[in-house]
Amino acid sequence: MRSRLAAAVLALLITTTACAGESRPADAVEPAAVEGLTTPWSVVFAGDTPIISERDTGRIVEIDPAGRAREVGVIPGVVASGESGLLGLALRDGNLYAYSTGQDGNRIQRYPLLGQPGSFRLGPERTILDRLPSASYHDGGRIAFGPDGMLHAAVGDAGNSASAQDLGSLGGKILRMTPDGGVPPDNPFPGSLVLTYGHRNVQGLAWGPDGTLYASEFGQNTWDELNIIRPGANYGWPTVEGIGERPGLTDPVQQWATDVASPSGIAVHGDAVYLANLRGERLREVPLREPGTSTEHFVGEFGRLRDVAVAPDGTLRVLTSNTDGRGDPAPGDDRMLAFPAP
């Protein structure tokens, strides 16, 4: 079905009346799509304009109203190998923040986003945090501003699982920092950027209407996770994977077998959190009031799904990831899909 996607804007209704746990197939019509992207990883919005990172090319692109991609700039010195490269984006106060892999590790850099839609460009770079653990896998990479105005960053364990339990390492952590990279005075560990620890490879960050932070996380061989993030908590890796019911460790609110999940980017829309799944090739909906339940959408319809975001018009935008070396690209892949709000 992916090969029959049209570039024209078509309606797609995501039915909201099915019971939690049911697998709801896509309607007969296809979503609107932007085509021809290369390993897209993250999408944010400058006003109504989508801004997308491409992992392997290091490019930042903007999407015009006709669905055409235009290069805004290339992040210099990006090392793309396996899961590393140009990863998460965040946008705040006219500045574009980018998490990427360099020669000396992962880093977070800030660029003024100059110009107007159709002519955006990147201003001078400022590195706000560097020398984060990196490898060809487990790089984390998702960044997002919370309702508190602080920048949050997911840092993977980079293959060193023991680092996740070491509060002296930034590997296997969710970090919380000021927009300039400083340590907020109310962080749970004085003088440290660490918000939570015991993570393997967090891939998605999103806040509910009440300020609750949710995070998706890749497991190893058994369980992928959705966690509610509480400052200072230990999420167990590598002692446990998934629900361990161990004293002192925080369990996920829901877990899935890795072959039906690999949850990457997430977004909260209305009363649900949506998870884009790679290996599982589906968009999963988890109601905030019952986070132990879920509903599946579009199973196998569009291949690997890397990110999901809520656009200013209320539609859900989903990035596919079929050109990442692990997918089966169809003509036109990769894509940004647009679905009407449920």
Side-chain angles (χ1 to χ4, degrees), residues 108 157 175 186 202 264 302 340:
I108 300 174
D157 69 9
L175 309 182
D186 57 345
V202 169
S264 189
F302 307 112

Side-chain angles (χ1 to χ4, degrees), residues 46 51 62 70 72-73 91 93-96 111-125:
I51 306 290
E62 64 173 314
R70 171 189 170 272
V72 172
L91 188 60
D93 297 332
N95 291 304
L96 185 69
Y111 297 84
L113 186 63
L114 306 176
Q116 303 296 325
S119 62
F120 280 132
R121 65 187 188 279
L122 300 180
E125 170 267 324

Side-chain angles (χ1 to χ4, degrees), residues 73-314:
V74 178
I75 303 300
V78 169
V79 177
S81 174
E83 297 172 5
S84 72
L86 175 57
L87 304 176
L89 300 178
L91 188 60
R92 187 176 180 88
D93 297 332
N95 291 304
L96 185 69
Y97 293 74
Y99 184 117
S100 68
T101 311
Q103 292 291 343
D104 297 323
N106 286 315
R107 67 244 172 123
I108 300 174
Q109 296 167 304
R110 184 175 71 196
Y111 297 84
L113 186 63
L114 306 176
Q116 303 296 325
S119 62
F120 280 132
R121 65 187 188 279
L122 300 180
E125 170 267 324
R126 178 180 175 183
T127 299
I128 67 169
L129 184 63
D130 61 3
R131 300 184 183 275
L132 295 169
S134 67
S136 60
Y137 50 86
H138 303 188
D139 285 281
R142 197 67 61 183
I143 57 176
F145 278 93
D148 57 3
M150 297 295 108
L151 179 63
H152 294 64
V155 182
D157 69 9
N160 178 9
S161 59
S163 69
Q165 290 295 321
D166 179 3
L167 287 173
S169 168
L170 297 183
K173 310 293 191 298
I174 295 176
L175 309 182
R176 178 176 180 263
M177 68 196 78
T178 69
D180 292 324
V183 178
D186 57 345
N187 269 10
F189 305 103
S192 174
L193 293 172
V194 174
L195 179 68
T196 56
Y197 64 110
H199 298 288
R200 181 176 181 268
N201 195 14
V202 169
Q203 292 284 291
L205 300 169
W207 285 263
D210 63 354
T212 298
L213 174 57
Y214 298 85
S216 60
E217 183 162 353
F218 286 167
Q220 180 164 280
N221 299 314
T222 309
W223 299 115
D224 293 325
E225 302 176 358
L226 176 66
N227 286 293
I228 291 177
I229 299 302
R230 297 181 174 88
N234 180 353
Y235 288 81
W237 176 254
T239 304
V240 297
E241 177 184 353
I243 297 172
E245 298 182 334
R246 300 280 191 94
L249 304 181
T250 300
D251 284 336
V253 293
Q254 192 167 172
Q255 63 183 19
W256 300 276
T258 55
D259 61 345
V260 296
S262 295
S264 189
I266 67 176
V268 172
H269 187 283
D271 60 359
V273 56
Y274 292 85
L275 300 90
N277 289 269
L278 291 162
R279 189 177 176 190
E281 298 188 355
R282 66 199 70 192
L283 185 68
R284 186 171 272 114
E285 176 186 352
V286 174
L288 299 182
R289 292 182 179 179
E290 297 181 85
T293 65
S294 63
T295 301
E296 298 175 347
H297 305 279
F298 320 125
V299 177
E301 292 293 317
F302 307 112
R304 293 163 59 83
L305 305 182
R306 173 68 69 177
D307 195 17
V308 56
V310 181
D313 64 4

